[in-house]
Amino acid sequence: MGDKRLDGKVIVISGGTKGVGRAVAEEYAHEGANIVIGGRDEAAAHRIIRTIQTYGSNGIFVHTELEDIDDCRKLFDEAVKAFGKIDGFFNYAGITPVSGLETCDVETFDRIMNINFRACFFCCQQAIKYMRENGGGSIVLTGSAHAWGGQKDRAAYACSKGVLLTLMEHIAHNYADEQIRCNYLTLGWTPTEGEVEFRKIQGMSESQLRKKAAGILPMGRMLERADYIEALIYLMSDESSMMTGSTFRITAGEYI
């Protein structure tokens, strides 16, 4: 076994063209993994794949519309077609629109649940199918502090992240005997492309956002993509082979 912690592994990432998904795709490759990127931004994916190849790893892009269950299944089928197996699945894709309990409309609710939960459910279904053939694997679901109640204007989003916590525990309890494990990584307030764009629509610049967050978060600053990398490598590596059903919190002390 080489020094690379993910040497020879095949890891699927939903939402792998932006934010933490993009950052970890490159770091997984740097640690020796082959990467399968599910998303919609083909140009961004191919830029990531070029970087991956400089590390001596390989990657493919699978255009994935998460509201289409056939696309969710195809993401994993294409991974196996390209690399012969699946060792890991990082479910990063998700949306965070304003969705207060008193004002959320049916269309917004359905879109949040379809992308954040339903897509993840069927991606996990397909991941488990192939991991079973390979003798096991690691699934990491992207969580949020909103799962523990959430802010008032994020009711539907909070529910979508709460149900992922249940899904994680369900997989952990029921598939451990097949060496298929699942953990929940609670991400904190991070200036991803989506978050920055959303705040701009509200009339707030990135610097204003960072200043606001620094005043709210107990540890005094927003999370950066790099803050999650070591945890995400650990959760996909053999070092965490006996860890399942756990909730990792990397939130700068934020527990909404």
Side-chain angles (χ1 to χ4, degrees):
M1 185 174 178
D3 294 329
K4 294 185 175 182
R5 288 174 285 178
L6 303 175
D7 197 31
K9 293 188 183 295
V10 177
I11 300 174
V12 177
I13 304 173
S14 67
T17 62
K18 295 180 179 179
V20 176
R22 174 177 185 157
V24 79
E26 295 179 357
E27 290 299 326
Y28 281 163
H30 195 257
E31 289 292 340
N34 292 315
I35 307 301
V36 180
I37 299 169
R40 294 185 296 177
D41 190 340
E42 185 172 359
H46 285 299
R47 286 194 294 271
I48 298 165
I49 289 167
R50 284 195 292 273
T51 300
I52 285 171
Q53 289 170 339
T54 68
Y55 299 142
S57 298
N58 210 342
I60 63 167
F61 169 70
V62 181
H63 186 274
T64 309
E65 296 287 347
L66 290 169
E67 291 185 90
D68 184 340
I69 300 305
D70 286 340
D71 267 19
C72 294
R73 292 176 175 138
K74 183 182 73 174
L75 173 60
F76 294 85
D77 293 343
E78 293 297 321
V80 173
K81 191 181 297 182
F83 297 113
K85 63 172 184 168
I86 294 171
D87 298 287
F89 170 46
F90 175 38
N91 180 78
Y92 177 65
I95 57 172
T96 60
V98 170
S99 54
L101 179 60
E102 298 171 70
T103 58
C104 183
D105 57 48
V106 172
E107 291 75 19
T108 302
F109 179 89
D110 284 349
R111 188 160 183 264
I112 291 169
M113 287 299 176
N114 287 346
I115 292 174
N116 292 7
F117 171 57
R118 190 180 72 165
C120 179
F121 183 97
F122 286 101
C123 282
C124 287
Q125 180 187 83
Q126 201 76 341
I128 288 168
K129 168 187 168 182
Y130 287 119
M131 287 177 178
R132 175 180 288 130
E133 295 174 1
N134 193 41
S138 175
I139 297 171
V140 178
L141 305 186
T142 298
S144 167
H146 287 271
W148 286 268
Q151 292 176 343
K152 195 171 184 179
D153 66 349
R154 292 293 190 281
Y157 174 73
C159 289
S160 75
K161 290 300 182 178
V163 77
L164 287 188
L165 190 59
T166 300
L167 177 61
M168 177 276 288
E169 292 182 340
H170 176 85
I171 294 170
H173 281 296
N174 290 290
Y175 295 91
D177 61 344
E178 298 186 71
Q179 307 305 311
I180 296 171
R181 52 204 180 83
C182 189
N183 295 286
Y184 185 95
L185 179 61
T186 310
L187 303 189
W189 199 354
T190 311
T192 60
E193 294 94 332
E195 175 69 6
V196 170
E197 185 61 31
F198 174 71
R199 298 299 173 174
K200 283 181 179 176
I201 292 170
Q202 294 184 321
M204 185 185 299
S205 68
E206 182 175 344
S207 61
Q208 290 171 323
L209 169 64
R210 287 177 176 276
K211 185 175 180 180
K212 177 182 177 180
I216 294 171
L217 295 172
M219 297 186 80
R221 70 165 175 85
M222 294 189 85
L223 282 293
E224 303 296 344
R225 295 164 179 81
D227 291 316
Y228 307 114
I229 297 300
E230 284 300 316
L232 283 163
I233 292 172
Y234 172 73
L235 290 170
M236 285 295 174
S237 74
D238 293 340
E239 295 166 6
S240 62
S241 61
M242 299 305 288
M243 179 179 174
T244 193
S246 296
T247 301
F248 253 48
R249 296 180 190 259
I250 304 180
T251 64
E254 177 189 26
Y255 307 104
I256 292 171

